[in-house]
């Protein structure tokens, strides 16, 4: 079988993670790297470990490189401008989260994707973390009964430095609740299997980046928050985010409570704990299992193996072996919930999704 020829747009930190993971896949070949920053291209070539065509501009890459697929890993605020020529070229596209930084641009991308003859996939790595995937499958399999509450906790390190410090400002990222938390809002929709009705977020920038200045400008990104999302089927979900808790033993914890049992997943330990309801006064009966991940795949990224497994699923969709699992519509809805959360935190009120056209 011929290998799929990949181009990567954006060769920063996450772009190089994609390089490491594409190198592991037997059906993928990286034939082009594009980035306007020469140093990023140099690091990308070094990461790849062999000569490869490099481009400062997307039109030159499209004109010269023979491509089957493109990964969009450029800064959030560039996604619409990057996607325009890629849609026109008819290539298979995996666009990293968030789909875009505004609802208007995300709607545009979703409309374009509907008419796109090739595969379009929104990058949502957290679905593909093996413990999270097992957690999702267990809920779908009825292991908690009727789902009532879902909570997601991420207690982690601050935003890392990116090229040009673009991720220090909400105008470039969409805000933390879009940039970072679109992952979790996507998980909520996937697990709850309903659309959001209203969002309340209490959040602020209380610890991180307070003493940083960029050309006299002060960063404005939320570093901790609680977000409650009410869904149309009556399920409620909570996101607990903290980005100055880098000492946490578990970075992520997912908890689903149904009318029959509670299920928890912990990352990076990879443990799942299933706790069925018991009669009052009877012994508790929790069952702990462990979800292992291939050490080579773990070492290739910083997202608990999910970058590789998502690329694998994307390639399956391109080959016609499986459907697209994360659509542009999924990307749009994750952005919309994030925008609602940003608005709620800023204005200190509940935001109805109908206000945003959903």
């Amino acid at each position: 079988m011929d290998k799929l020829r990949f181009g990567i747009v954006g060769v920063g930190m996450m772009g190089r993670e994609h390089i490491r993971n594409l190198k592991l896949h037997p059906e993928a070949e990286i034939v082009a790297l594009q980035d306007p920053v020469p140093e990023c291209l140099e690091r990308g070539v070094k990461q790849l470990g062999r000569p490869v065509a490099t481009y400062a501009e997307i039109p030159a890459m499209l004109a010269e490189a023979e491509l089957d697929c493109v990964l969009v890993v450029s800064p959030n605020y560039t996604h619409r401008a990057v996607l325009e020529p890629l849609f026109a070229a008819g290539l298979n596209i995996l666009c990293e989260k968030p789909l875009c930084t505004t609802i208007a641009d995300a709607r545009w991308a979703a409309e374009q994707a509907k008419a796109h003859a090739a595969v379009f996939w929104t990058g949502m790595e957290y679905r593909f973390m093996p413990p999270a995937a097992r957690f999702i499958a267990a809920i779908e399999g009825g292991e908690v009964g009727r789902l009532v509450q879902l909570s997601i906790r991420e207690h982690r390190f601050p935003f890392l430095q990116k090229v040009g410090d673009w991720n220090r400002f909400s105008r470039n990222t969409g805000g933390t609740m879009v940039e970072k938390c679109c992952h979790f809002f996507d998980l909520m929709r996937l697990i709850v299997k309903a659309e959001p009705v209203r969002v309340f977020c209490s959040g602020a920038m209380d610890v991180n980046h307070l003493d940083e200045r960029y050309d006299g400008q002060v960063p404005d990104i939320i570093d901790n928050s609680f977000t409650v999302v009410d869904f149309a089927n009556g399920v409620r979900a909570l996101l607990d985010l903290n980005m100055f808790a880098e000492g946490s033993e578990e970075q992520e914890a997912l908890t689903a409570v149904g009318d029959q049992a509670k299920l928890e997943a912990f990352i990076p330990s990879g443990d799942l704990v299933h706790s069925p309801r018991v009669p009052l006064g009877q012994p508790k009966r929790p069952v702990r299992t462990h979800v292992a991940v291939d050490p080579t795949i773990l070492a290739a990224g910083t997202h608990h193996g999910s970058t590789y497994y998502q690329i694998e699923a994307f390639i399956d969709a391109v080959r016609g072996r499986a459907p697209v699992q994360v659509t542009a519509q999924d990307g749009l809805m994750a952005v919309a919930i994030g925008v609602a959360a940003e608005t709620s935190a800023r204005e200190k009120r509940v935001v109805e999704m109908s206000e945003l056209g959903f």
Side-chain angles (χ1 to χ4, degrees):
M1 182 180 293
D2 292 337
K3 292 188 175 184
L4 292 171
R5 298 163 296 186
F6 277 79
I8 298 179
V9 173
V11 198
M13 188 179 301
M14 191 61 193
R16 294 193 296 277
E17 179 164 328
H18 278 292
I19 290 173
R20 293 194 297 273
N21 283 275
L22 281 167
K23 286 170 64 177
L24 295 176
H25 201 289
E27 294 183 49
E29 179 183 10
I30 299 170
V31 300
L33 302 178
Q34 187 279 322
D35 198 295
V37 180
E39 293 80 8
C40 289
L41 290 174
E42 291 171 9
R43 293 190 191 103
V45 173
K46 183 177 180 180
Q47 186 78 72
L48 185 56
R50 61 170 173 79
V52 66
T54 60
Y55 301 91
E57 303 293 338
I58 292 174
M61 181 184 73
L62 295 178
E64 297 177 17
E66 294 186 8
L67 299 169
D68 300 303
C69 308
V70 175
L71 302 186
V72 176
V73 205
S74 57
N76 302 5
Y77 63 91
T78 69
H79 284 187
R80 175 162 181 165
V82 167
L83 287 172
E84 286 175 352
L86 299 183
F87 276 129
L91 296 166
N92 299 293
I93 302 167
L94 188 157
C95 180
E96 267 293 349
K97 63 81 194 169
L99 179 59
C100 292
T101 57
T102 68
I103 289 175
D105 284 350
R107 283 190 194 277
W108 169 85
E111 287 301 315
Q112 293 293 312
K114 286 180 184 177
H116 190 54
V119 166
F120 185 91
W121 185 295
T122 304
M124 289 291 186
E125 284 84 7
Y126 282 53
R127 290 187 181 207
F128 298 91
M129 290 181 175
R134 182 76 62 82
F135 176 84
I136 294 164
I139 296 168
E140 291 176 344
E143 292 189 24
V144 301
R146 177 176 59 84
L147 180 65
V148 178
Q149 289 181 300
L150 172 69
S151 67
I152 300 174
R153 184 185 75 226
E154 181 168 76
H155 285 187
R156 54 161 278 167
F157 48 89
F159 278 127
L160 300 174
Q161 284 193 304
K162 299 293 182 74
V163 176
D165 301 301
W166 64 267
N167 66 339
R168 293 307 196 250
F169 299 96
S170 293
R171 65 176 182 270
N172 296 329
T173 66
T176 300
M177 308 313 295
V178 173
E179 150 66 13
K180 178 74 204 113
C181 300
C182 63
H183 276 306
F184 306 119
F185 300 139
D186 176 66
L187 283 177
M188 287 178 183
R189 286 184 65 247
L190 177 66
I191 294 167
V192 172
K193 300 196 180 307
E195 296 298 352
V197 174
R198 65 188 58 85
V199 175
F200 177 70
C201 176
S202 175
M205 188 176 78
D206 289 318
V207 174
N208 296 339
H209 319 301
L210 297 178
D211 58 351
E212 297 177 11
R213 299 293 182 271
Y214 301 91
D215 295 326
Q217 299 180 74
V218 182
D220 65 344
I221 50 177
I222 289 171
D223 64 12
N224 72 105
S225 62
F226 292 116
T227 305
V228 176
V229 184
D230 289 341
F231 285 87
N233 62 357
V235 177
R236 59 189 59 86
L238 169 69
L239 171 63
D240 169 2
L241 176 73
N242 187 287
M243 300 188 68
F244 44 89
E246 53 269 70
S248 300
E249 180 180 10
E250 302 287 2
Q251 183 166 301
E252 286 89 23
L254 315 177
T255 304
V257 183
D259 61 356
Q260 296 179 23
K262 173 183 176 180
L263 181 66
E264 300 166 280
F266 300 99
I267 302 167
S269 70
D271 288 344
L272 269 67
V273 180
H274 182 263
S275 304
R277 296 181 70 184
V278 294
L280 190 62
Q282 295 297 310
K284 297 177 182 179
R285 296 183 285 112
V287 176
R288 183 179 293 266
T289 58
H290 179 71
V291 181
V293 184
D294 184 314
T296 301
I297 292 173
L298 271 179
T302 58
H303 295 82
H304 204 72
S306 61
T307 301
Y308 177 84
Y309 293 116
Q310 177 165 244
I311 286 172
E312 183 176 60
F314 173 72
I315 288 174
D316 284 344
V318 171
R319 294 290 196 191
R321 297 190 291 249
V324 172
Q325 294 187 44
V326 197
T327 66
Q329 182 66 25
D330 292 325
L332 165 61
M333 290 307 302
V335 169
I337 301 172
V339 170
E342 284 283 333
T343 303
S344 176
R346 184 173 58 252
E347 299 182 3
K348 296 179 172 35
R349 67 179 181 89
V350 172
V351 174
E352 299 286 336
M353 293 302 294
S354 59
E355 298 177 44
L356 306 179
F358 295 92

